[in-house]
Amino acid sequence: MSVKAVIGAMRVPFLLLTPVCVFLGASLVWNEVTQDWGKLGWVLLAAMGAHISVNTLNEYFDFKSGLDLKTVKTPFSGGSGSLPAEPQAAFAVLITGVISLLITIFAGLLLVNSSHLNLLIIGMLGAFIIIAYTPILNKIPLACLVAPGIGFGLIMVLGTALSFTAQVQTHWVLMALIPFCLVNNLLLLNQFPDLEADRSFGRNHLIIKHGEKAGVSVYFISSIVAVLSLL
């Protein structure tokens, strides 16, 4: 097993997005409820496990399908390139994704037990997105477009806040819309250089279905919504 390949498949530089979203969610309620650093640690563990899991499972499935062998790698798209460089690490990457998901589920159940059942619904949606993102959601344009934002914006931000209190407030949703829109845009941008490779392997995201002009329009609208939410 190559540790370097596994770490590469985790896409470590992008994992910074997780604490940003978790701390944003915590900041919404931190002065209104009892400050519980232990609970925040469990939230961060669950969220980080989810991010590592979706990254490594995506790397594994894209490598096994042959897609990663056809995409042109850039710093932000085309996968990490870890498995094409070290194919023997594929099983280790798969195991990493599964273990990370199990850690997320374990931490999530502890949070549900100490909070309320609303978290269970959010957690189940998050687990579904992790498992289904590459094999299923990438073939459904709307689902592929909004799944990243739901995961990082709505689930991580609102889920963190809901771990401390059960009452959802309007400004929480408005704040969660900002990473929802921006993360959707991040993944949408990544699809432009991978367009032809994705099309040839059966994906059916927004740009494949409706064209690059539609992708640019959605990107622009999402950017405006993010700014308006902040205002």
Side-chain angles (χ1 to χ4, degrees), residues 65-72 78 191-203 205 208:
S65 70
L67 177 59
D68 273 354
L69 302 176
K70 190 169 182 179
T71 53
V72 178
Q191 292 165 2
F192 280 86
D194 293 343
L195 175 59
E196 293 306 322
D198 285 346
R199 194 200 313 270
S200 67
F201 278 82
R203 289 192 174 180
H205 50 63
I208 293 175

PDB file of all heavy atoms in Angstrom, residues 65-72 78 191-203 205 208:
ATOM      1  N   SER A  65     -13.584   2.926 -13.193  1.00  0.00           N
ATOM      2  CA  SER A  65     -14.352   3.083 -14.434  1.00  0.00           C
ATOM      3  C   SER A  65     -13.454   3.428 -15.615  1.00  0.00           C
ATOM      4  O   SER A  65     -13.852   3.299 -16.771  1.00  0.00           O
ATOM      5  CB  SER A  65     -15.409   4.172 -14.262  1.00  0.00           C
ATOM      6  OG  SER A  65     -14.812   5.457 -14.181  1.00  0.00           O
ATOM      7  N   GLY A  66     -12.241   3.904 -15.324  1.00  0.00           N
ATOM      8  CA  GLY A  66     -11.323   4.333 -16.379  1.00  0.00           C
ATOM      9  C   GLY A  66     -11.366   5.817 -16.657  1.00  0.00           C
ATOM     10  O   GLY A  66     -10.570   6.332 -17.450  1.00  0.00           O
ATOM     11  N   LEU A  67     -12.274   6.535 -15.984  1.00  0.00           N
ATOM     12  CA  LEU A  67     -12.422   7.975 -16.247  1.00  0.00           C
ATOM     13  C   LEU A  67     -11.153   8.744 -15.918  1.00  0.00           C
ATOM     14  O   LEU A  67     -10.736   9.631 -16.680  1.00  0.00           O
ATOM     15  CB  LEU A  67     -13.602   8.523 -15.443  1.00  0.00           C
ATOM     16  CG  LEU A  67     -13.860  10.038 -15.546  1.00  0.00           C
ATOM     17  CD1 LEU A  67     -14.121  10.438 -16.992  1.00  0.00           C
ATOM     18  CD2 LEU A  67     -15.023  10.440 -14.653  1.00  0.00           C
ATOM     19  N   ASP A  68     -10.525   8.423 -14.770  1.00  0.00           N
ATOM     20  CA  ASP A  68      -9.323   9.159 -14.369  1.00  0.00           C
ATOM     21  C   ASP A  68      -8.161   8.957 -15.336  1.00  0.00           C
ATOM     22  O   ASP A  68      -7.208   9.750 -15.346  1.00  0.00           O
ATOM     23  CB  ASP A  68      -8.885   8.725 -12.962  1.00  0.00           C
ATOM     24  CG  ASP A  68      -9.581   9.522 -11.873  1.00  0.00           C
ATOM     25  OD1 ASP A  68     -10.312  10.468 -12.212  1.00  0.00           O
ATOM     26  OD2 ASP A  68      -9.404   9.193 -10.687  1.00  0.00           O
ATOM     27  N   LEU A  69      -8.230   7.900 -16.144  1.00  0.00           N
ATOM     28  CA  LEU A  69      -7.166   7.663 -17.117  1.00  0.00           C
ATOM     29  C   LEU A  69      -7.347   8.513 -18.362  1.00  0.00           C
ATOM     30  O   LEU A  69      -6.435   8.631 -19.177  1.00  0.00           O
ATOM     31  CB  LEU A  69      -7.143   6.181 -17.498  1.00  0.00           C
ATOM     32  CG  LEU A  69      -6.936   5.198 -16.344  1.00  0.00           C
ATOM     33  CD1 LEU A  69      -7.034   3.765 -16.849  1.00  0.00           C
ATOM     34  CD2 LEU A  69      -5.584   5.442 -15.664  1.00  0.00           C
ATOM     35  N   LYS A  70      -8.541   9.115 -18.499  1.00  0.00           N
ATOM     36  CA  LYS A  70      -8.843   9.886 -19.701  1.00  0.00           C
ATOM     37  C   LYS A  70      -8.892  11.386 -19.456  1.00  0.00           C
ATOM     38  O   LYS A  70      -8.707  12.184 -20.365  1.00  0.00           O
ATOM     39  CB  LYS A  70     -10.181   9.423 -20.292  1.00  0.00           C
ATOM     40  CG  LYS A  70     -10.468   9.977 -21.664  1.00  0.00           C
ATOM     41  CD  LYS A  70     -11.670   9.296 -22.321  1.00  0.00           C
ATOM     42  CE  LYS A  70     -11.903   9.841 -23.725  1.00  0.00           C
ATOM     43  NZ  LYS A  70     -13.059   9.180 -24.395  1.00  0.00           N
ATOM     44  N   THR A  71      -9.169  11.798 -18.215  1.00  0.00           N
ATOM     45  CA  THR A  71      -9.266  13.226 -17.928  1.00  0.00           C
ATOM     46  C   THR A  71      -7.892  13.880 -17.971  1.00  0.00           C
ATOM     47  O   THR A  71      -6.866  13.250 -17.698  1.00  0.00           O
ATOM     48  CB  THR A  71      -9.877  13.464 -16.536  1.00  0.00           C
ATOM     49  OG1 THR A  71      -9.141  12.717 -15.558  1.00  0.00           O
ATOM     50  CG2 THR A  71     -11.331  13.049 -16.498  1.00  0.00           C
ATOM     51  N   VAL A  72      -7.888  15.156 -18.315  1.00  0.00           N
ATOM     52  CA  VAL A  72      -6.669  15.957 -18.284  1.00  0.00           C
ATOM     53  C   VAL A  72      -6.586  16.605 -16.911  1.00  0.00           C
ATOM     54  O   VAL A  72      -7.435  17.417 -16.549  1.00  0.00           O
ATOM     55  CB  VAL A  72      -6.683  17.033 -19.379  1.00  0.00           C
ATOM     56  CG1 VAL A  72      -5.421  17.886 -19.289  1.00  0.00           C
ATOM     57  CG2 VAL A  72      -6.796  16.372 -20.757  1.00  0.00           C
ATOM     58  N   GLY A  78     -10.090  16.800 -12.670  1.00  0.00           N
ATOM     59  CA  GLY A  78      -9.462  15.615 -13.230  1.00  0.00           C
ATOM     60  C   GLY A  78      -8.974  14.612 -12.205  1.00  0.00           C
ATOM     61  O   GLY A  78      -8.264  13.662 -12.546  1.00  0.00           O
ATOM     62  N   GLN A 191     -16.239  20.912 -13.806  1.00  0.00           N
ATOM     63  CA  GLN A 191     -16.814  20.084 -14.856  1.00  0.00           C
ATOM     64  C   GLN A 191     -16.499  20.603 -16.264  1.00  0.00           C
ATOM     65  O   GLN A 191     -16.591  19.830 -17.230  1.00  0.00           O
ATOM     66  CB  GLN A 191     -18.336  19.991 -14.665  1.00  0.00           C
ATOM     67  CG  GLN A 191     -18.721  19.200 -13.428  1.00  0.00           C
ATOM     68  CD  GLN A 191     -20.165  19.387 -13.008  1.00  0.00           C
ATOM     69  OE1 GLN A 191     -20.927  20.105 -13.668  1.00  0.00           O
ATOM     70  NE2 GLN A 191     -20.562  18.748 -11.919  1.00  0.00           N
ATOM     71  N   PHE A 192     -16.098  21.846 -16.392  1.00  0.00           N
ATOM     72  CA  PHE A 192     -15.796  22.388 -17.726  1.00  0.00           C
ATOM     73  C   PHE A 192     -14.609  21.685 -18.386  1.00  0.00           C
ATOM     74  O   PHE A 192     -14.737  21.216 -19.522  1.00  0.00           O
ATOM     75  CB  PHE A 192     -15.560  23.899 -17.643  1.00  0.00           C
ATOM     76  CG  PHE A 192     -16.818  24.716 -17.588  1.00  0.00           C
ATOM     77  CD1 PHE A 192     -17.458  24.977 -16.394  1.00  0.00           C
ATOM     78  CD2 PHE A 192     -17.387  25.222 -18.755  1.00  0.00           C
ATOM     79  CE1 PHE A 192     -18.619  25.720 -16.332  1.00  0.00           C
ATOM     80  CE2 PHE A 192     -18.557  25.961 -18.714  1.00  0.00           C
ATOM     81  CZ  PHE A 192     -19.175  26.211 -17.495  1.00  0.00           C
ATOM     82  N   PRO A 193     -13.446  21.583 -17.715  1.00  0.00           N
ATOM     83  CA  PRO A 193     -12.326  20.904 -18.389  1.00  0.00           C
ATOM     84  C   PRO A 193     -12.528  19.402 -18.555  1.00  0.00           C
ATOM     85  O   PRO A 193     -11.881  18.782 -19.395  1.00  0.00           O
ATOM     86  CB  PRO A 193     -11.130  21.203 -17.480  1.00  0.00           C
ATOM     87  CG  PRO A 193     -11.720  21.497 -16.153  1.00  0.00           C
ATOM     88  CD  PRO A 193     -13.035  22.160 -16.420  1.00  0.00           C
ATOM     89  N   ASP A 194     -13.446  18.811 -17.759  1.00  0.00           N
ATOM     90  CA  ASP A 194     -13.673  17.362 -17.828  1.00  0.00           C
ATOM     91  C   ASP A 194     -14.855  17.000 -18.721  1.00  0.00           C
ATOM     92  O   ASP A 194     -15.261  15.831 -18.757  1.00  0.00           O
ATOM     93  CB  ASP A 194     -13.941  16.808 -16.420  1.00  0.00           C
ATOM     94  CG  ASP A 194     -12.727  16.897 -15.514  1.00  0.00           C
ATOM     95  OD1 ASP A 194     -11.612  17.068 -16.052  1.00  0.00           O
ATOM     96  OD2 ASP A 194     -12.888  16.797 -14.287  1.00  0.00           O
ATOM     97  N   LEU A 195     -15.395  17.972 -19.446  1.00  0.00           N
ATOM     98  CA  LEU A 195     -16.655  17.785 -20.163  1.00  0.00           C
ATOM     99  C   LEU A 195     -16.657  16.565 -21.075  1.00  0.00           C
ATOM    100  O   LEU A 195     -17.522  15.681 -20.971  1.00  0.00           O
ATOM    101  CB  LEU A 195     -16.983  19.049 -20.970  1.00  0.00           C
ATOM    102  CG  LEU A 195     -18.217  18.986 -21.869  1.00  0.00           C
ATOM    103  CD1 LEU A 195     -19.467  18.690 -21.050  1.00  0.00           C
ATOM    104  CD2 LEU A 195     -18.380  20.294 -22.635  1.00  0.00           C
ATOM    105  N   GLU A 196     -15.714  16.473 -21.990  1.00  0.00           N
ATOM    106  CA  GLU A 196     -15.727  15.388 -22.976  1.00  0.00           C
ATOM    107  C   GLU A 196     -15.450  14.032 -22.327  1.00  0.00           C
ATOM    108  O   GLU A 196     -16.064  13.019 -22.688  1.00  0.00           O
ATOM    109  CB  GLU A 196     -14.705  15.675 -24.087  1.00  0.00           C
ATOM    110  CG  GLU A 196     -15.071  16.878 -24.944  1.00  0.00           C
ATOM    111  CD  GLU A 196     -16.475  16.763 -25.530  1.00  0.00           C
ATOM    112  OE1 GLU A 196     -16.891  15.646 -25.914  1.00  0.00           O
ATOM    113  OE2 GLU A 196     -17.176  17.784 -25.593  1.00  0.00           O
ATOM    114  N   ALA A 197     -14.530  14.007 -21.373  1.00  0.00           N
ATOM    115  CA  ALA A 197     -14.247  12.749 -20.679  1.00  0.00           C
ATOM    116  C   ALA A 197     -15.466  12.273 -19.898  1.00  0.00           C
ATOM    117  O   ALA A 197     -15.827  11.094 -19.940  1.00  0.00           O
ATOM    118  CB  ALA A 197     -13.051  12.928 -19.745  1.00  0.00           C
ATOM    119  N   ASP A 198     -16.135  13.200 -19.202  1.00  0.00           N
ATOM    120  CA  ASP A 198     -17.334  12.841 -18.441  1.00  0.00           C
ATOM    121  C   ASP A 198     -18.428  12.316 -19.362  1.00  0.00           C
ATOM    122  O   ASP A 198     -19.099  11.324 -19.056  1.00  0.00           O
ATOM    123  CB  ASP A 198     -17.856  14.060 -17.677  1.00  0.00           C
ATOM    124  CG  ASP A 198     -17.011  14.403 -16.459  1.00  0.00           C
ATOM    125  OD1 ASP A 198     -16.184  13.568 -16.057  1.00  0.00           O
ATOM    126  OD2 ASP A 198     -17.188  15.504 -15.911  1.00  0.00           O
ATOM    127  N   ARG A 199     -18.604  12.968 -20.498  1.00  0.00           N
ATOM    128  CA  ARG A 199     -19.646  12.556 -21.439  1.00  0.00           C
ATOM    129  C   ARG A 199     -19.392  11.141 -21.961  1.00  0.00           C
ATOM    130  O   ARG A 199     -20.310  10.327 -22.073  1.00  0.00           O
ATOM    131  CB  ARG A 199     -19.708  13.540 -22.612  1.00  0.00           C
ATOM    132  CG  ARG A 199     -20.978  13.393 -23.473  1.00  0.00           C
ATOM    133  CD  ARG A 199     -20.788  14.016 -24.867  1.00  0.00           C
ATOM    134  NE  ARG A 199     -20.191  15.322 -24.829  1.00  0.00           N
ATOM    135  CZ  ARG A 199     -20.885  16.473 -24.737  1.00  0.00           C
ATOM    136  NH1 ARG A 199     -22.208  16.447 -24.655  1.00  0.00           N
ATOM    137  NH2 ARG A 199     -20.249  17.636 -24.730  1.00  0.00           N
ATOM    138  N   SER A 200     -18.144  10.835 -22.230  1.00  0.00           N
ATOM    139  CA  SER A 200     -17.813   9.529 -22.811  1.00  0.00           C
ATOM    140  C   SER A 200     -17.955   8.391 -21.813  1.00  0.00           C
ATOM    141  O   SER A 200     -18.027   7.228 -22.200  1.00  0.00           O
ATOM    142  CB  SER A 200     -16.386   9.554 -23.369  1.00  0.00           C
ATOM    143  OG  SER A 200     -15.432   9.694 -22.320  1.00  0.00           O
ATOM    144  N   PHE A 201     -18.035   8.731 -20.504  1.00  0.00           N
ATOM    145  CA  PHE A 201     -18.176   7.691 -19.491  1.00  0.00           C
ATOM    146  C   PHE A 201     -19.558   7.686 -18.837  1.00  0.00           C
ATOM    147  O   PHE A 201     -19.729   7.148 -17.746  1.00  0.00           O
ATOM    148  CB  PHE A 201     -17.083   7.849 -18.418  1.00  0.00           C
ATOM    149  CG  PHE A 201     -15.769   7.245 -18.833  1.00  0.00           C
ATOM    150  CD1 PHE A 201     -14.901   7.954 -19.643  1.00  0.00           C
ATOM    151  CD2 PHE A 201     -15.423   5.963 -18.454  1.00  0.00           C
ATOM    152  CE1 PHE A 201     -13.695   7.410 -20.048  1.00  0.00           C
ATOM    153  CE2 PHE A 201     -14.213   5.408 -18.846  1.00  0.00           C
ATOM    154  CZ  PHE A 201     -13.349   6.126 -19.654  1.00  0.00           C
ATOM    155  N   GLY A 202     -20.523   8.290 -19.501  1.00  0.00           N
ATOM    156  CA  GLY A 202     -21.905   8.153 -19.066  1.00  0.00           C
ATOM    157  C   GLY A 202     -22.392   9.146 -18.039  1.00  0.00           C
ATOM    158  O   GLY A 202     -23.512   9.025 -17.546  1.00  0.00           O
ATOM    159  N   ARG A 203     -21.585  10.125 -17.701  1.00  0.00           N
ATOM    160  CA  ARG A 203     -22.072  11.138 -16.774  1.00  0.00           C
ATOM    161  C   ARG A 203     -23.060  12.057 -17.502  1.00  0.00           C
ATOM    162  O   ARG A 203     -23.036  12.170 -18.725  1.00  0.00           O
ATOM    163  CB  ARG A 203     -20.915  11.942 -16.189  1.00  0.00           C
ATOM    164  CG  ARG A 203     -20.078  11.136 -15.205  1.00  0.00           C
ATOM    165  CD  ARG A 203     -19.130  11.998 -14.412  1.00  0.00           C
ATOM    166  NE  ARG A 203     -18.443  11.221 -13.395  1.00  0.00           N
ATOM    167  CZ  ARG A 203     -17.559  11.727 -12.553  1.00  0.00           C
ATOM    168  NH1 ARG A 203     -17.239  13.012 -12.614  1.00  0.00           N
ATOM    169  NH2 ARG A 203     -16.977  10.948 -11.650  1.00  0.00           N
ATOM    170  N   HIS A 205     -24.126  15.557 -16.177  1.00  0.00           N
ATOM    171  CA  HIS A 205     -24.306  16.731 -15.344  1.00  0.00           C
ATOM    172  C   HIS A 205     -24.832  17.905 -16.162  1.00  0.00           C
ATOM    173  O   HIS A 205     -25.111  17.775 -17.365  1.00  0.00           O
ATOM    174  CB  HIS A 205     -23.007  17.088 -14.612  1.00  0.00           C
ATOM    175  CG  HIS A 205     -21.793  17.164 -15.482  1.00  0.00           C
ATOM    176  ND1 HIS A 205     -21.660  18.070 -16.497  1.00  0.00           N
ATOM    177  CD2 HIS A 205     -20.644  16.431 -15.490  1.00  0.00           C
ATOM    178  CE1 HIS A 205     -20.492  17.934 -17.069  1.00  0.00           C
ATOM    179  NE2 HIS A 205     -19.849  16.917 -16.483  1.00  0.00           N
ATOM    180  N   ILE A 208     -23.170  18.874 -19.581  1.00  0.00           N
ATOM    181  CA  ILE A 208     -23.403  17.869 -20.622  1.00  0.00           C
ATOM    182  C   ILE A 208     -24.838  17.963 -21.141  1.00  0.00           C
ATOM    183  O   ILE A 208     -25.089  17.911 -22.343  1.00  0.00           O
ATOM    184  CB  ILE A 208     -23.123  16.449 -20.078  1.00  0.00           C
ATOM    185  CG1 ILE A 208     -21.631  16.292 -19.789  1.00  0.00           C
ATOM    186  CG2 ILE A 208     -23.593  15.382 -21.063  1.00  0.00           C
ATOM    187  CD1 ILE A 208     -21.276  14.977 -19.128  1.00  0.00           C
TER     188      ILE A 208
END
